[in-house]
Each structure stands twice: as C-alpha cells, then as structure tokens.
Amino acid sequence: MSFLKTFTNGLLKGNPVLAMLLGMCPVLAITTTVINGIGMGAATIFVLVCSNTVISSLKSIIPKQIRLPAFIVIIAGFVTICGFLLARYFPDIDKALGVFIPLITVNCIILGRAESFASKNSVAKSALDGLGMGIGFTGALILIGSVREIFGNGSWMGINLFSRDAAVSFLTHPAGAFFVLGIIIAVTNILTKKMSAEKTGCKECPVSDACGKKEES
Amino acid sequence: MGEMMIILLNAILMENLVLKKFLGICPFLGVSKKINSALGMSVAVTLVMLAATAITWPIHTYIFLPNKLQYLRTIAFILIIALFVQLVEIILGKFFPPLHRSLGVFLPLITTNCAILGITILNVDDNLGYLDSIFRALGGGLGFALALIVFSSLRQKLEESNIPKAFKGIPAALIAASFFSLSFAGFSGMVENMFGKA
C-alpha cells in the first residue's frame, strides 16, 4: 500500500465508525453537540497517532505473548497525557466528555489499529494510518453531532439556527443517538452500494485473533 | 437498606449502562444475536464488574489518594482488570472446566469492554463509599444483563422480519435499540417515588 492509500483508507472506505462499526460508545455518547465531537475526535487522533508510532517502533522488542497488555499500557499512558492537556487547556471540553476521556483507552479503534496495522508496518506508515483513521473517526463524530445538534437543538457549533420550539429534542436524548446512527449507517450502505452491514460479532473484533474465539458470528 | 436499593435500582433502570450511559455498546450489538451467548456474556460481565470494583476501590482510596497519584488510575485500573480477567480464566480452566467452556470464551473480550473500566472510574470519580460502589457495580452488571437479554430476544424477531435491505443488520438493530432506550426513559422518577429521595 502506498503512503497516500494508507492515509485515505481510514477516511471513507475503511472508516472506523461508518464502515467498520468500531468505537460505538463514544460515538453515541458524546455527539450531542458538534464541539464535543471535535474535542473527542482531536483527543482520539492524538492518542491514535502517538500509540501507533510508539507501538510500531517497539514492535520488535515487545514479546508476542504479552503484546496486548503492553499495547494497552502504552495506550493508557498517552490517554493520561491527553487527559492532562485537555484539563489544562480546554477544561470545558474535558468536563463535557467526562469519563469518556479515560475510556479512550478501551476504544477498540485504537487497540485494533495497534494489533492489525502498527505491529506489522513501518513507523511512518503507522503514524499516517493513525492520522487517517483518527480523521475518519472525527468526521463521523462531526456528521452525527451536526445532525443531532441541528435537528435536536436548532443550533450548530453553538450558533442558533432556528427556534428551539421547532427542534426535535428527542434527537438529543440517548434514544436519539441510536436512531441517528442507525439512519446514517443505512444511508452509508445505500451510498456505498454495500447493501447490508452484517459486520458484528467476534469475527469483526480487531483483537479476535488474539483472544482465539471466532465461533460467535 | 433502602439507600442501597435506590442505588441498585437506579443503576439497573434509570442509569442503565448500555441504554443511558452508552457503555458496552460493542457486546450489546455484537453478542446479542443468540440468547445463550447473551446470557453467558451478561454473567461474565456482572462478575468481573463486581470484582473489579471490589479491587480497584481500595487501591484508589488507600494508595492513590493519600499519595496524590490519582492520575495513575487509568493505567492502573486497566492493568488490574486485564490481570484479573486472565487470572479468572486460568482458575476456571483448571478447576471448573464446564464453567470455563460456557463462560471462558467471553472473558478475554471483557478486558476491553468499556463498561468495566467505565464503572470503576465513575465510582471513584463520584466519591462513592465502598458498599455504595459495590451495589452500583452490581446494578450496572444487572442492568447490562437486562438490556442484553431482552434485546437479544428482540433481535431474533428482527432477523426474520422483512425490512429494507440497507437497514438489515446493524442499522435496524440500532433503531430498535433507540425505541428500547426510549422505553427505559419511562422509569425516570420511579425509584424516588418508591423509596423517597436519596
């Protein structure tokens, strides 16, 4: 794969949220506003690029049997750094995202890229892959956040667009998150002519090889 | 006891991990196709959640807090959970092979289940006491089980029904989850009315 392809893979075709259905928890939880989505996306890009780079450069040192715990510790380290930076420079976003900042550690996009890409590819390619995947993730967050904020709250990025009385506040509730994501994935299916997203179960889990369980489908 | 009941019911119904807090969505969508796997997953998650809270709370309160090491909690908690899951798997495999066969397959997946790390962090963030934390973890696990098991029976119907092709699979499941979550909104205020304000 060329460098350009490595980068663009995560944007559309291999989009972690819309095509691979990974990292659903933050996608559903924090997309009530666009700003939160951008904050979460930026934090994830930071952790993803750093962890991919470090894991790729350490891939020959980390013993194969304990690679998953090692990856998780590296990722958790960068998540802690990211939490410090957010709390210092963007306290509002830090408050709004709350527990979902430490939970970036267990976002399956990050562990998945470490396992399936960074542990097999060069440092530069891994960093690019992390950047592409992170931007694809952020794009999906902004898309879902926009739909929910515009129709659910009558505003975009905090700017009032129309009266709140005309907005469907259902969309800002947890139930609305499931609803919007379902519709968006269905529309993605139509646009990409891939008629069904039958990608669930352990086979699609990025760490399925490591956990040796594949009969569930 | 009334206070414990409030925490428990609150965690099961009103603050349902999956439907309200969006923790553990991956197993919720991934392991809900068959009711048997849903059951196994629920039991495993509830047990690990309880044990993880029982271990991490004292470590945070008696080691991290006095030494101002709270920032270590993410790294420490995830390591403790990973170690504990590994340990349980080994013990089950050695001494309870039948249980290992039915639950063992779900255990490795649980390390990266954000519901477990989420509950342990939420408990120490909210400064809950030890017993309160345990009850909240139990309620969280039971709430996860309730959502997963009910949803898996719903999904079996969904698989058989005739829906537009683009919606087949995950999109339809998400929209079903949306209405499911909406129905849980009906529980808000119920617990206060039953037991009085906490």
Side-chain angles (χ1 to χ4, degrees):
Chain A
M1 240 200 283
S2 71
F3 279 91
L4 187 69
K5 246 189 167 169
T6 307
F7 176 64
T8 54
N9 178 43
L11 301 183
L12 291 168
K13 219 180 89 213
N15 187 292
V17 179
L18 302 176
M20 298 200 290
L21 306 173
L22 293 176
M24 301 291 239
C25 302
V27 169
L28 290 163
I30 54 92
T31 49
T32 44
T33 63
V34 182
I35 300 279
N36 285 355
I38 295 174
M40 187 71 200
T44 310
I45 292 176
F46 170 79
V47 176
L48 197 50
V49 172
C50 294
S51 67
N52 258 11
T53 313
V54 169
I55 287 168
S56 171
S57 46
L58 293 178
K59 60 179 179 281
S60 51
I61 306 173
I62 300 173
K64 229 179 157 22
Q65 297 84 348
I66 59 149
R67 68 186 188 288
L68 284 184
F71 293 169
I72 290 179
V73 172
I74 292 170
I75 294 168
F78 283 115
V79 170
T80 307
I81 296 172
C82 179
F84 279 146
L85 292 175
L86 275 178
R88 172 72 180 79
Y89 294 105
F90 304 97
D92 294 343
I93 291 183
D94 183 56
K95 237 189 181 154
L97 299 182
V99 73
F100 283 93
I101 294 290
L103 287 183
I104 296 175
T105 317
V106 283
N107 186 329
C108 29
I109 298 172
I110 297 174
L111 191 61
R113 290 329 281 175
E115 167 76 6
S116 65
F117 198 93
S119 60
K120 293 173 190 132
N121 286 285
S122 70
V123 176
K125 265 193 176 175
S126 302
L128 262 185
D129 175 75
L131 190 63
M133 284 289 161
I135 292 174
F137 180 66
T138 312
L141 285 176
I142 292 176
L143 176 68
I144 298 161
S146 300
V147 172
R148 288 182 71 188
E149 198 183 340
I150 291 172
F151 295 108
N153 203 25
S155 61
W156 193 73
M157 299 269 286
I159 305 155
N160 268 339
L161 297 178
F162 53 85
S163 158
R164 210 176 259 201
D165 302 332
V168 192
S169 64
F170 158 72
L171 295 178
T172 56
H173 294 307
F178 285 111
F179 191 78
V180 171
L181 186 60
I183 301 278
I184 286 178
I185 291 175
V187 171
T188 317
N189 284 348
I190 295 170
L191 292 181
T192 55
K193 304 234 166 23
K194 189 186 73 181
M195 275 324 236
S196 76
E198 270 303 330
K199 287 189 160 185
T200 45
C202 291
K203 250 190 303 188
E204 297 303 324
C205 173
V207 287
S208 65
D209 285 338
C211 92
K213 158 158 173 27
K214 286 176 206 134
E215 66 264 43
E216 175 81 25
S217 60
Chain B
M1 204 58 218
E3 202 181 313
M4 297 300 157
M5 281 306 284
I6 292 178
I7 291 175
L8 193 67
L9 283 177
N10 209 22
I12 298 177
L13 298 175
M14 282 141 65
E15 309 248 288
N16 190 286
L17 276 188
V18 180
L19 299 168
K20 279 275 137 78
K21 298 225 167 205
F22 301 115
L23 296 171
I25 298 289
C26 294
F28 179 65
L29 293 173
V31 203
S32 62
K33 275 194 175 170
K34 288 183 221 121
I35 200 149
N36 283 343
S37 347
L39 261 174
M41 189 68 177
S42 310
V43 174
V45 164
T46 310
L47 290 180
V48 174
M49 201 176 273
L50 262 178
T53 306
I55 303 170
T56 53
W57 193 91
I59 290 180
H60 186 266
T61 314
Y62 297 115
I63 300 178
F64 290 174
L65 271 185
N67 298 310
K68 296 202 167 49
L69 292 170
Q70 291 99 313
Y71 62 88
L72 276 181
R73 56 161 204 215
T74 312
I75 301 181
F77 284 14
I78 191 74
L79 264 182
I80 292 168
I81 294 169
L83 276 177
F84 178 75
V85 167
Q86 203 76 49
L87 200 71
V88 169
E89 216 197 343
I90 294 169
I91 293 173
L92 280 184
K94 190 127 176 87
F95 298 107
F96 309 97
L99 203 60
H100 183 252
R101 264 194 304 275
S102 51
L103 285 189
V105 288
F106 300 107
L107 284 173
L109 291 171
I110 286 179
T111 311
T112 54
N113 182 342
C114 54
I116 312 270
L117 185 64
I119 270 285
T120 53
I121 289 180
L122 280 174
N123 276 339
V124 297
D125 270 0
D126 294 350
N127 289 321
L128 286 187
Y130 193 57
L131 258 183
D132 291 3
S133 298
I134 297 276
F135 269 89
R136 193 183 189 187
L138 179 65
L142 291 178
F144 179 84
L146 178 69
L148 194 61
I149 292 166
V150 174
F151 193 60
S152 74
S153 27
L154 207 114
R155 261 190 96 175
Q156 283 175 341
K157 292 263 178 217
L158 208 61
E159 298 287 314
E160 294 157 11
S161 53
N162 188 16
I163 38 179
K165 262 190 178 166
F167 278 91
K168 274 235 156 81
I170 289 298
L174 280 169
I175 288 170
S178 159
F179 296 124
F180 194 25
S181 162
L182 203 59
S183 68
F184 265 66
F187 289 120
S188 57
M190 190 192 79
V191 178
E192 276 95 342
N193 285 333
M194 271 167 71
F195 295 98
K197 276 242 177 315

